[in-house]
Amino acid sequence: MFSYVSNTEALSDVLRLSRGMTYKSALAGIALGGGKSVIIGNPHQDKSRQLLLAMGEFINSLSGTYITAEDSGTGVADMAIMGEKTPYVTGVVTGEEHGGDPSPITAYGVYQGIVASVAHQFKSNLQGVRIAMQGIGNVGYHLARQLISAGATVYAADINPANIQRAVNQLGVIEVPLDDIMSIDVDVLAPCALGGAINADSIDMIKAKVVAGAANNQLATVDMGLALKERGILYAPDYVINSGGIIDVYYQTKGIRDRKKVDAHVERIGDTLKTIFTRSDQTGHATSGIADQLAEEILAGDVQEMSA
Ligand code: NAD
């Protein structure tokens, strides 16, 4: 849900997002993708029970060809209201380890992706590795906890003082000023806030040799993928590394609540990244381009699903 200025802008965004879901699902080895929905409106002002019920009715009219889940501007409570009108809603289960808030499982996938990226770039584990996180909200908090448990030192900046304080007090994260987080001398930069973190202004500030984080659309423009590679920076494509949430949703749609199965599937994110990194090394192409290429090959049936 977002305050789009026009129907055209909303349509263009939903097409971009649905393409993204398709590619993400292909590389995650799950039979989802092809659709996405947007609601035009300010989530802080225009959201009402009637609106969410209407959305639920609309989704129900598609008879299960489209299944929704929470995303930017919506949350678990909104999904529960839509769920009064349709069974084709996920992310409404509470009181179970999988279902409801997807952030912990997304963070687990990003953690696996950082482990694989560090192994490829530095031939090491996370012990003593310095990681800078831009944004330490829902995903970032769970991610930082796992990184610190594995022996990494985590630096973070967040525009929300409560979120950074929680991470400093509870996890031992080291606070960094907002303006310094992209340029701090670390091994890994993990964008975990909004999209567009890697852009023409920020790219030459980055000292990290790995960029791997949860945020969607980390590259402001397509050419940033190659720009990172030319600077010797290994980039874990965003939609590959942050696919833990959609993998969890897939198991929810199948009615499978076996945590071990979901975790094992999410752990394969590391293997998918390894395949992408190796092909990037062999061809000289950007990892972001390789990910798109692999997804297209999977969708065309040229290769088996990555993780199936
Ligand atoms: P969130 O809103 O809980 O956390 C984002 C954090 O970034 C917040 O604490 C916010 O204050 C902070 N932030 C915003 N702008 C900032 C800036 N300019 N500098 C520093 N900090 C800033 O969101 P989340 O659920 O943790 O998701 C983080 C990112 O991961 C988003 O891009 C989201 O689209 C993506 N993602 C999330 C999931 C999921 O399961 N939640 C799944 C896939 C992708």
Side-chain angles (χ1 to χ4, degrees):
M1 184 168 186
F2 186 73
S3 318
Y4 296 102
V5 295
S6 65
N7 285 353
T8 310
E9 190 191 57
L11 184 60
S12 135
D13 201 36
V14 78
L15 288 173
R16 182 181 65 79
L17 292 165
S18 57
R19 179 178 186 274
M21 290 306 284
T22 307
Y23 279 44
K24 177 184 278 204
S25 301
L27 283 189
I30 55 177
L32 291 178
K36 192 82 179 174
S37 56
V38 294
I39 300 176
I40 302 173
N42 182 331
H44 303 295
Q45 290 166 7
D46 303 329
K47 202 185 281 176
S48 66
R49 183 173 159 77
Q50 288 89 325
L51 178 96
L52 295 168
L53 290 174
M55 185 69 182
E57 269 174 24
F58 175 67
I59 290 166
N60 202 48
S61 75
L62 299 173
S63 310
T65 30
Y66 178 69
I67 303 160
T68 200
E70 70 208 60
D71 205 326
S72 182
T74 59
V76 176
D78 302 328
M79 295 305 117
I81 296 173
M82 290 182 200
E84 291 177 30
K85 293 287 180 185
T86 180
Y88 305 118
V89 172
T90 62
V92 291
V93 185
T94 53
E96 293 187 39
E97 281 186 273
H98 290 280
D101 176 12
S103 306
I105 192 78
T106 298
Y108 185 57
V110 176
Y111 169 77
Q112 296 295 332
I114 292 178
V115 169
S117 304
V118 165
H120 190 85
Q121 186 75 323
F122 305 120
K123 314 282 175 259
S124 81
N125 60 23
L126 292 185
Q127 193 66 45
V129 169
R130 300 159 303 157
I131 300 174
M133 293 177 54
Q134 185 191 43
I136 191 147
N138 290 324
V139 177
Y141 179 84
H142 294 288
L143 176 61
R145 182 175 36 76
Q146 293 168 72
L147 294 171
I148 290 168
S149 296
T153 304
V154 174
Y155 302 83
D158 199 301
I159 52 168
N160 181 338
N163 284 358
I164 190 79
Q165 273 321 307
R166 178 179 67 155
V168 169
N169 296 340
Q170 296 179 9
L171 304 175
V173 162
I174 301 163
E175 184 178 0
V176 174
L178 283 167
D179 289 346
D180 297 346
I181 196 71
M182 298 299 289
S183 60
I184 182 174
D185 186 9
V186 288
D187 306 300
V188 179
L189 174 66
C192 295
L194 304 173
I198 313 300
N199 54 52
D201 293 330
S202 67
I203 192 155
D204 285 320
M205 297 177 191
I206 301 172
K207 297 193 184 71
K209 287 296 169 206
V210 168
V211 172
N216 280 313
N217 305 317
Q218 290 172 34
L219 308 183
T221 48
V222 180
D223 58 316
M224 286 297 126
L226 196 56
L228 285 169
K229 188 167 179 73
E230 284 167 356
R231 286 159 179 76
I233 301 170
L234 183 69
Y235 172 61
D238 43 19
Y239 68 80
V240 180
I241 193 169
N242 72 15
S243 62
I246 189 75
I247 292 170
D248 190 41
V249 159
Y250 174 74
Y251 282 88
Q252 285 181 49
T253 64
K254 296 283 168 206
I256 300 169
R257 305 242 173 255
D258 181 344
R259 183 187 164 117
K260 280 200 184 117
K261 254 194 179 159
V262 179
D263 281 356
H265 196 139
V266 169
E267 283 157 18
R268 297 207 291 262
I269 288 172
D271 300 330
T272 304
L273 285 173
K274 272 183 227 159
T275 304
I276 290 168
F277 296 156
T278 305
R279 207 194 267 198
S280 170
D281 290 345
Q282 288 164 348
T283 60
H285 294 150
T287 54
S288 48
I290 298 287
D292 289 352
Q293 203 180 57
L294 270 174
E296 280 156 21
E297 288 171 13
I298 291 164
L299 293 167
D302 294 344
V303 289
Q304 279 195 314
E305 288 179 357
M306 290 303 300
S307 323

